[in-house]
Amino acid sequence: MANPLYDTLFAPHAGKPTPFLHLADGRSLSHAAFLDLAGRVANALAGFGLAPGDRVAVQVAKSAEALALYAACVQAGLVLLPLNTAYMAGEVGYFVEDSGARLFVCDPGGAEALAGIAARTGARLETLGADGGGTLAEMAAAMPTDFATVARGRDDLAALLYTSGTTGRSKGAMLTQENLLSNALTLTDCWRFGAGDVLLHALPIFHTHGLFVAVNVTLAAGGAMIFLPGFDLDTIIAHLPRATAMMGVPTFYTRLLADPRFDRDLTTHMRLFVSGSAPLLAETHRRFETRTGHRILERYGMTETGMNSSNPYDGERRAGTVGFPLPGVEIKITDPQTGARLPDGAVGQIEVRGPNVFRGYWNMPEKTAEELRPDGFFITGDLGRFDAQGYLAIVGRNKDLIISGGYNIYPKEIEEVIDAVPGIAESAVIGVPHPDFGESPVALLVCEPGATPDLDMVQERIAVALAAFKRPRRLIVVDELPRNTMGKVQKAALRDRYAAALAG
Ligand code: MLC
Ligand code: AMP
């Protein structure tokens, strides 16, 4: 029976003794062992009575078992909804409820706190631990490895990934089998991944980069991964000699460059370093080449589209650009007001069309219509320009978004929490340069007349409501916020005023 994503990325590896995952504890799993594990998990999922198309919300630590849960969802025709492990209960509750998830898999340590969400939303709650334990793992262990793959079409949903918005509620981006598969095959080809590759994998697997780029490309190529729980400098340096390729956010590369052990000798054997999810400074690109002799390959993508453009594997990898549109992907630069296409060299909004572009936001037809044009072009919210040689450079954002260490932070979310604190009239959160994370949030607060708000209380409220990576690094009380004639807060003016003083 046909299930294009499973049939192409997973099924061909069944029974193969070739290595797939090298884990931090020294264990390795062959392709065959991984697929057996996935089959057991798929049987457990089917045992819960889940039907094809049902959403499975997952907030668990990175592990071989967590990856097998992804494979199992694909095989069982379920829609994976991966969640950042840093999200707090309030944030998670919204995703589980909005998606109508039938199953919610969380860490055993979080089960008690999250049981209320499951009860409220009617989702079944199961657990999966970093050590491979938990109720789901126990159930899977008793299951057979064979599972009859559920038939799915290319347009059927494979994943729902939530991205916040400049205004309003978070939106679930609906990604189809075709979206994921077309992108994986294109990238595998463009970046020349093959069965001999060993990818150093230190990214989280709840976002596009770590899951759909890194994992799917490795699967498509039949290669292996050194599958680490996170980015730890010593561990990365220890494992580099066994790797052939690495994918990371710019913070990975600036951290490596800050360590003198990271040098030419350690990296001569490497085939490829890929960067994305946030801007890589041209200076980092140059320092990397001077230190290692490698030119980082920078590419550009997003949750709604997977990867859109990439610097070439052969040919010049141009610092400060994200390369050319990927084969099959169209990119145009348009006037943000009129939507008209602009000539090369002009700065405008980046629009993307292709088999990689998502099918819309879950249960939000009006939001979908705002960003996805009837002719299939998606308005990314990024601002860019093509140079004379066709390289795309991202020059800014038309959306109020801060990217910190590759994690997206929407100022609106933080402002809403701050504004609810007694004595605060209003606030504006801006991104300022940060040496490690690229950008980081700072909050500017205006008090009610005569009020002296408790800033510790503001930080506490934020800490309870939002994931730790969203916390503003500083709270600054100001007299007023600059506004334009329409009454809109001028964030660009605030950034100009405060960025230099607050950087670092
Ligand atoms: C962790 N912390 C962060 C942070 N990550 N703070 C700001 N920004 C971040 N990105 C905070 C934690 O809250 C904690 O704070 C402290 O740092 C230590 O946590 P940690 O988990 O030990 O941090 P660390 O391992 O150093 O993580 C940093 C990182 C990680 C850069 C390695 O954030 C990371 O892996 N980022 C990758 C994100 C990613 O995959 N993005 C892809 C999105 S997909 P405290 O206060 O509790 O001590 C996409 C599309 C595309 O964008 O194009 O790819
Ligand atoms: P996300 O919503 O997490 O998928 O984040 C997508 C956003 O990350 C894009 O819209 C861009 O703003 C940003 N992004 C991804 N790759 C790059 C890159 N190479 N350079 C600059 N910004 C990037």
Side-chain angles (χ1 to χ4, degrees), residues 379-415:
I379 305 165
T380 60
D382 292 310
L383 297 173
R385 173 200 318 122
F386 279 110
D387 70 14
Q389 284 75 42
Y391 285 83
L392 177 67
I394 298 175
V395 299
R397 293 179 206 128
N398 210 10
K399 51 190 173 189
D400 198 12
L401 164 68
I402 298 166
I403 304 183
S404 167
Y407 284 153
N408 288 0
I409 300 174
Y410 284 85
K412 181 87 188 154
E413 254 189 317
I414 307 171
E415 289 160 7

Side-chain angles (χ1 to χ4, degrees), residues 108-252:
E112 211 180 306
L114 296 169
I117 293 172
R120 178 162 54 81
T121 60
R124 180 187 183 112
L125 188 67
E126 299 291 341
T127 62
L128 185 63
D131 59 356
T135 57
L136 178 62
E138 284 160 20
M139 215 137 359
M143 292 286 167
T145 56
D146 279 344
F147 180 81
T149 302
V150 172
R152 297 295 273 171
R154 288 184 175 267
D155 286 336
D156 284 327
L157 292 195
L160 194 59
L161 260 61
Y162 277 80
T163 83
S164 291
T166 300
T167 55
R169 302 178 297 138
S170 274
K171 303 163 290 185
M174 298 189 285
L175 296 164
T176 63
Q177 288 223 337
E178 170 71 359
N179 294 150
L180 304 184
L181 188 53
S182 65
N183 220 223
L185 298 179
T186 301
L187 296 173
T188 306
D189 193 41
C190 287
W191 297 342
R192 309 279 164 81
F193 269 81
D197 270 308
V198 181
L199 180 76
L200 190 48
H201 192 303
L203 288 160
I205 54 167
F206 43 70
H207 279 314
T208 294
H209 196 164
L211 190 57
F212 301 138
V213 182
V215 170
N216 284 357
V217 163
T218 306
L219 282 164
M225 291 184 282
I226 299 170
F227 203 62
L228 303 173
F231 185 91
D232 174 73
L233 202 51
D234 291 340
T235 314
I236 295 285
I237 286 174
H239 284 286
L240 258 173
R242 290 173 70 200
T244 64
M246 178 170 178
M247 295 183 192
V249 295
T251 300
F252 283 19

Side-chain angles (χ1 to χ4, degrees), residues 8 58 81 122 130 190-191 198 231 262 265 282 328 339 371 432 491 499:
T8 312
V58 176
L81 193 177
C190 287
W191 297 342
V198 181
F231 185 91
F262 186 70
D265 284 349
E371 296 177 36
V432 299
K491 294 244 168 137

